[in-house]
Amino acid sequence: MVINLEFFTPSTVRVTKVPENLKNEKESYSVTAKPQDVKFTTSRSGDNITLKSSKLKVTLNTKKGTVSFADSKGGLLLKEKNNAMFTPMLDAGVPSFNVKQSFVLDKEEPIYGLGNYENGKLSLRNFSRRLMPGNIEDGIPVIQSIKGYGLFWDNYSPTVFSDNAEGMTFDSEVGDLADYYFMYGGNADGVIAEMRTLTGTVPMFPLWTYGFWQSRERYKSQNEILEVVDKHRKLGVPIDGIIQDWQYWGNNYLWNAMEFMNPEFNKPQMMVDSIHNMNAHAIISIWSSFGPQTKPYRELDAKGLLFNFSTWPQSGIAEQWPPRMDYPSGVRVYDAYSAEARDIYWNNLKRLFDFGLDGWWMDSTEPDHFDVTSKDMDTKTALGSFRRVRGAYPLMTVGGVYDHQRATSDDKRVFILTRSGWAGQQRYGCNVWTGDVTSTWDMLRNTVPALMNFSLTGNPNCNSDIGGFFCNQYNKRSGDNSAPKNPLFQELYVRWLQMGTFTPMMRSHGADIFREIYYFGEKGEPIYDAIEEGIRLRYSLLPYIYSTSWQVTNNNDSYLRPLMMDFKADRKTWECNDEFMFGRNILVAPVLKAQYTPEKIVKADENSGWNIAGDMNNESLSTKKVDFMAPSSTAVYLPKGAKWYDFWTNELIPGGRTIEKTTTIKTIPLYIKAGSIMPFGPDVQYSTEKPWTNLEIRVYPGADGSFTLYEDENDNYNYEKGIYSTIDFKWDNKAKTLTIGKRNGEYPGMDKNRNFNIVLVSENSGAGNKPMKVTKSVNYSGNELKVKL
């Protein structure tokens, strides 16, 4: 066996193991980096050869063929349990191997990552799962440890990950070598930075993508979609994005035609223009498969670029459920591994792009694959068998759209909402959602750690269907749209929306009912008001969120931060699966248990969910009045290492304790870390309605702090050319002085003169105490200012 160790950075080393007489000719689809010129020393002691960089010591035992990793001071981080195991197999008739490598973890060492598993766990010890992209769960072979290291197992075939008393193991169905990257970052942020150095940094999304999004399965006409935006504007409830789901193309034989063939969408340009005239944006559903009567199908089929396995939809009759299998749809998935196929895909997609649509909802990028057989996995792709490259499918198809749009125009930033993710996909301007999850409290609870673990793979942009996708069980009768007035669903929806307020994309979507705010009641009613207040809170935080997005792009930061990222010294944070930091300043502790209604449990998945019947005996509760404003409470843990301000009362609370937070349906427990500097934006109906010329800047004393306000043109890629502005804020807690630094950079349309309304939050303020008040309003023209508070 030939073992190679190669430093990519001082903190990252690639390990490959190849059976003798075979060549290492593998191309990585995730890794885009080339090895840096890393200085390291080599030493030998008996059977051990040690390579030492400035950050990492890597030792190879030549007798056992095992590798171990230590920090620069010699502290052991991870070691292989044994040499890689290669079991001969035939991959679509070609000789290859099953590849397996095991590692030894410390007994109480938490590990994280692996994608968005809906198992409710943050730490993934004693966990086993087959890693590959799916509808509800994306298994990504990236882990990181509380010890500050990460590991990327670079294999694209279905891989069983397991951790048990025998060790932590990656076991891939097919491969010609064992190939992984060990990354030492010192902490979770450092690991993520190394992962993105290897696989690509995160491009910025437009400002409008951080506003509120409304969707439905599905808007059945252009009039319906326009009505939603119009009603939001008339009600004064902010909205920035609207999404058109499937079947705007017509019947299933025209599946994903990338044209408006449905007669209910007979004026698509008028529809897009009308949405834009109402200061909103539209994205549209596109798939990885095509119906047999479409132009893309004919082009791809002529070149042998379509797969022959069962995918969604299986029936050509869209109007009947269950599917009429005696009328097969003929829909086939395209070979996204082929550069020629990706060209054909974009050339057809450009028909929609030319209407001025603002982004893409790339559904089924796993892709959907039913009744899987060995023959299916033998399917030939442009890069080998489907089995060999299965995991890379979403990376390839999403990357194809990103690359082609970037090559077509830089005037509009690429924005892709997609259902599946893989290592490195963060470089392609996409936000991955958790798929067709069921509307239950269990699923809401599971979603929080799923999103956090997904973020820990280096993919920061993720979200979920607010309210869950399948919710027919809350209707009195199947499909009667009574669920928005059913207290069981109302409570679940509001709590999901409050959690979703603090994810990178705030998006209401699902099947079975209409979820627009006006179906839940009227202004002045607790549920309606709670929804509106959540949306308005989101908009007030846009300067904070957009500035955080710059940190994600420029400094490899993350939006969703498990508490262990910032408070590793506090062991109670290591497995905290129900709270997170949103950016560096806000601790979010969403209410994840029903406080006013019973928790109705309905088991379903992405296939059985379509069969959930209504008439679930909800009649009595649906008509029973529930007092959603009655005080309740929820437990919140505040980590050690900081003091915390209750966002709603400004009460200052020491860390390292669990408190009971009083709540109503309108309350989401939020806590601001002492030392935080928080910008708050104006009251708007859409993200760019008003310039940020009178921002409120809140200072939360109790520790020194800093914040960088980032601004640019809000769309286009001029920021890549340095066309943007940053302003650094620094708080000196002892001197009680806020320094507003000199503005760095500029961009067209920038307000060179502005006001900052500085608010010092009183350390003693809270219920019954002196309220927070504006301390000073200062004019800022770009030069440094010191404000004594």
Side-chain angles (χ1 to χ4, degrees), residues 115-127:
N116 55 356
Y117 282 101
E118 301 283 353
N119 64 349
K121 297 178 67 175
L122 183 62
S123 173
L124 298 172
R125 294 303 302 270
N126 302 308
F127 172 76

Side-chain angles (χ1 to χ4, degrees), residues 384-421:
S385 74
F386 191 46
R387 178 185 298 104
R388 180 176 292 269
V389 293
R390 176 70 180 84
Y393 193 90
L395 182 73
M396 293 295 181
T397 188
V398 170
V401 171
Y402 176 85
D403 287 340
H404 279 93
Q405 185 172 329
R406 286 298 310 259
T408 301
S409 173
D410 266 359
D411 293 338
K412 181 183 295 186
R413 294 177 196 166
V414 181
F415 180 68
I416 297 170
L417 171 65
T418 190
R419 197 168 73 184
S420 289

Side-chain angles (χ1 to χ4, degrees), residues 213-218 243 245 361 433 436 464-469 493 507-511 515:
W213 287 79
Q214 185 64 59
S215 182
R216 186 190 297 175
E217 191 291 297
R218 59 188 165 89
I243 307 176
D245 206 339
W361 185 3
W433 97 94
D436 299 339
S464 68
D465 293 344
I466 288 176
F469 185 73
Y493 181 82
R507 181 184 61 92
S508 172
H509 174 72
R515 300 171 192 227

Side-chain angles (χ1 to χ4, degrees), residues 501-502 537 540-541 544-545 548 563 566-567 579-589 636-656 659 661 668-680 696-707 731 733 759-763 765 772:
T501 302
F502 296 91
L537 176 60
S540 72
L541 290 170
Y544 174 78
I545 295 170
T548 299
L563 299 186
D566 296 293
F567 305 98
E579 301 177 17
F580 56 91
M581 298 294 293
F582 186 61
R584 298 277 181 161
N585 295 347
I586 307 175
L587 187 152
V588 184
V636 177
Y637 180 70
L638 300 175
K640 293 179 184 176
K643 298 176 183 177
W644 300 94
Y645 286 87
D646 185 310
F647 178 77
W648 305 107
T649 68
N650 298 319
E651 177 186 4
L652 182 62
I653 308 167
I659 64 169
K661 170 64 179 173
I668 177 170
L670 302 174
Y671 296 85
I672 310 298
K673 185 174 65 175
S676 295
I677 302 167
M678 293 283 299
F680 287 83
E696 178 182 299
I697 307 295
R698 292 187 200 172
V699 178
Y700 291 82
D704 293 342
S706 62
F707 185 84
W731 170 248
N733 194 62
V759 176
L760 180 66
V761 177
S762 169
E763 295 187 30
S765 65
M772 177 178 65

